[in-house]
Amino acid sequence: MSALAFDQIRPTVHRVIAATPVFDLHTHLYAVPFGDLLLWGPDELITYHYLIAETLRVSDVSYEAFWAMDKKRQAAHIWQKLFIERAPVSEAARGVITVLGRLGADLNARRIENLRDFYASFKTEDFVNRVFDLANVHTVVMTNDALDPVEREIWNRGVKPDPRFKAVLRIDPVLLGWPKVSDRLKAMGYGASSELGAESLKEIRRFLAEWIEKMNALYVAVSLPPTWRYPDDSPTTRVIREAVIPVTRERNLPFAMMIGVTRQVNPLLRMAGDSLGKSDIASLERVLAEHPRNKFMATMLSRENQHELAVTARKFRNLMVFGCWWFVNNPSLIEEITRMRMELLGPSFIPQHSDARILDQIIYKWDHSRRIIAKVMKDKFADIAAAGWPVSRDEIDRTAHDYLGGNFERFLASVPA
Ligand code: HDL
Ligand code: ZN
């Protein structure tokens, strides 16, 4: 392949990143057959829990009064506080603007009623197609909870698969919910008692195996608090060591750890009430070192953990670092983290996932992140070209494809040597 002229490198990176379809490896989206679990439209978009937290900082209504409102009234209140009385300059507020603009809504009216009228003509299936198209996303990975009775019922009824929506078995309660979770597992027919003896662990392995099968899960995931330590004498360590590790190894599935979330620091905010803390990287190191033949994915919530996470990925080939999660999913931090990761890991990491909860959001989550990933890639390719490397179009294509989905697909297929 011939080398690109220096002044062609940046425009080529820009075009290639924009044109490369994404495999979005962590979202809270659901395919259409999941019914009401699939959220979309202006009122869902505007009542995103990030925007609820930002509204209740500036609103004069009490938590109770806000929660007493129905969704439309909540959306109208958020619109008034964050978009009319104030400029929508936060990342979550700007995201709403990006989505509406890309969909073609008229923003001059600044009236939420106009947005509802604009959406009124969309049919769900058509809207899904339109959003995937605008976001240039080819596949999203859902977050699936077999312990949720509503979702479980849908799986047990049989879900008509949509190839654009892959499943993940999310197991937070199975790792963090002892002893209470044993009752929920028992109610599902798994003989897991809170003593967590050999029989219980065998039943937990059966739960994992059966639901991985039923969902055709791409990986098994958990979110962990900053206080997570490994190993310790907690049920969490027992279940990781004696259930999650053997079952994911047998199936060559990654175990994804999302580390650093402190749940419900302010319960009055409900889903918006979670926060973060700096986590113990040594615990992650020990899991990786103890299980070299298992595959792991990891993302961390605290900015202060990002450098050590990237260095940990240099030490352990069975770790795939991914995403700028939640409170670090903001342009300034995405750039800082992506630049650092590119410098430490080259093309061998996954820069981003959307974490989208409302379907419309993948438009902004990826528009905003593509721009930043491209910005860092432009600098890095310009740097090697300036040092004399003959940068080719093919190299840029391959790197963009790796970052936006190829690394994930290859990691899923890989078998740790
Ligand atoms: O635990 C998680 O997967 C987090 O992403 C939470 O769902 C959180 O509420 C969120 O949506 N963050 O973006
Ligand atoms: Zn999430």
Side-chain angles (χ1 to χ4, degrees):
M1 295 292 280
S2 62
L4 289 169
F6 189 82
D7 65 359
Q8 280 310 303
I9 290 175
R10 290 177 184 277
T12 302
V13 170
H14 189 86
R15 278 197 307 276
V16 168
I17 284 286
T20 301
V22 159
F23 198 153
D24 191 351
L25 71 80
H26 172 61
T27 78
H28 298 272
L29 302 178
Y30 288 91
V32 172
F34 287 84
D36 294 344
L37 292 180
L38 166 59
L39 305 177
W40 64 282
D43 292 299
E44 293 295 354
L45 192 60
I46 294 165
T47 57
Y48 184 35
H49 68 76
Y50 291 30
L51 294 170
I52 290 175
E54 293 170 32
T55 298
L56 289 174
R57 286 181 44 70
V58 298
S59 168
D60 42 6
V61 305
S62 68
Y63 291 113
E64 294 70 27
F66 179 80
W67 295 119
M69 297 176 190
D70 66 15
K71 191 170 285 280
K72 282 191 181 310
R73 281 215 43 231
Q74 287 176 1
H77 187 68
I78 292 167
W79 185 257
Q80 180 61 26
K81 293 297 166 191
L82 296 188
F83 295 81
I84 303 303
E85 292 175 15
R86 291 165 184 79
V89 290
S90 75
E91 181 59 7
R94 173 171 83 107
V96 172
I97 306 298
T98 300
V99 168
L100 298 174
R102 289 287 311 281
L103 284 169
D106 172 13
L107 292 167
N108 293 302
R110 290 186 173 218
R111 295 180 63 250
I112 195 166
E113 291 74 16
N114 294 43
L115 302 179
R116 291 178 182 139
D117 295 346
F118 171 73
Y119 269 81
S121 61
F122 293 137
K123 298 269 174 300
T124 306
E125 284 78 358
D126 299 339
F127 190 71
V128 171
N129 298 337
R130 185 166 165 67
V131 169
F132 270 71
D133 199 35
L134 284 171
N136 196 10
V137 167
H138 64 74
T139 309
V140 299
V141 185
M142 304 182 281
T143 294
N144 303 102
D145 178 2
L147 294 170
D148 168 31
V150 172
E151 182 172 352
R152 183 166 66 246
E153 163 53 33
I154 296 169
W155 285 106
N156 285 334
R157 235 185 7 240
V159 190
K160 183 170 151 305
D162 177 335
R164 297 169 299 177
F165 291 79
K166 304 298 184 195
V168 155
L169 181 58
R170 180 70 176 259
I171 58 168
D172 293 29
V174 180
L175 282 189
L176 303 170
W178 295 92
K180 279 213 318 275
V181 71
S182 59
D183 298 336
R184 296 168 75 185
L185 288 167
K186 272 197 210 98
M188 290 173 66
Y190 298 101
S193 67
S194 49
E195 297 74 60
L196 268 184
E199 180 56 23
S200 292
L201 284 155
K202 181 166 154 290
E203 284 291 275
I204 294 168
R205 289 194 291 272
R206 185 168 71 89
F207 162 79
L208 293 173
E210 289 180 359
W211 280 93
I212 285 167
E213 196 69 31
K214 191 185 286 272
M215 293 176 169
N216 191 18
L218 294 188
Y219 61 88
V220 173
V222 68
S223 69
L224 294 166
T227 51
W228 173 66
R229 294 293 178 274
Y230 183 95
D232 63 6
D233 55 3
S234 71
T236 305
T237 291
R238 297 276 322 270
V239 176
I240 288 176
R241 256 190 185 144
E242 299 176 52
V244 179
I245 292 296
V247 170
T248 48
R249 169 100 185 274
E250 275 155 36
R251 284 159 183 73
N252 193 34
L253 294 184
F255 175 38
M257 292 172 279
M258 304 169 71
I259 310 169
V261 49
T262 308
R263 296 289 177 190
Q264 295 300 289
V265 296
N266 181 0
L268 295 171
L269 282 172
R270 297 188 186 177
M271 191 188 284
D274 301 331
S275 192
L276 58 72
K278 184 170 184 314
S279 303
D280 176 47
I281 197 74
S283 292
L284 178 60
E285 287 167 3
R286 285 190 287 268
V287 174
L288 298 165
E290 194 177 282
H291 306 287
R293 307 295 297 275
N294 278 70
K295 292 186 292 192
F296 298 90
M297 296 158 55
T299 196
M300 295 180 88
L301 193 47
S302 166
R303 178 191 189 191
E304 289 68 23
N305 279 124
Q306 299 305 328
H307 181 250
E308 51 195 16
L309 175 61
V311 172
T312 302
R314 289 172 61 89
K315 302 305 134 193
F316 295 98
R317 63 194 304 198
N318 57 334
L319 171 63
M320 179 59 77
V321 165
F322 74 93
C324 299
W325 183 28
W326 202 344
F327 299 113
V328 291
N329 191 5
N330 300 313
S332 59
L333 296 178
I334 298 169
E335 180 169 350
E336 174 187 281
I337 293 166
T338 303
R339 203 172 285 278
M340 173 175 61
R341 287 174 176 172
M342 228 177 264
E343 290 158 1
L344 282 167
L345 301 170
S348 70
F349 69 99
I350 299 170
Q352 192 56 294
H353 65 275
S354 71
D355 228 329
R357 281 183 171 278
I358 293 98
L359 180 74
D360 326 25
Q361 290 179 328
I362 56 174
I363 295 172
Y364 91 82
K365 300 261 187 181
W366 285 106
D367 269 16
H368 295 183
S369 289
R370 281 181 200 270
R371 194 183 304 278
I372 301 161
I373 295 165
K375 180 178 180 187
V376 180
M377 266 180 73
K378 288 171 188 171
D379 288 349
K380 296 306 170 188
F381 274 102
D383 287 351
I384 56 175
W389 185 257
V391 172
S392 71
R393 165 66 193 258
D394 172 58
E395 239 170 355
I396 293 173
D397 283 344
R398 268 184 289 128
T399 308
H401 175 263
D402 282 351
Y403 279 145
L404 298 180
N407 284 346
F408 180 50
E409 288 168 314
R410 234 190 336 273
F411 191 67
L412 290 177
S414 68
V415 181

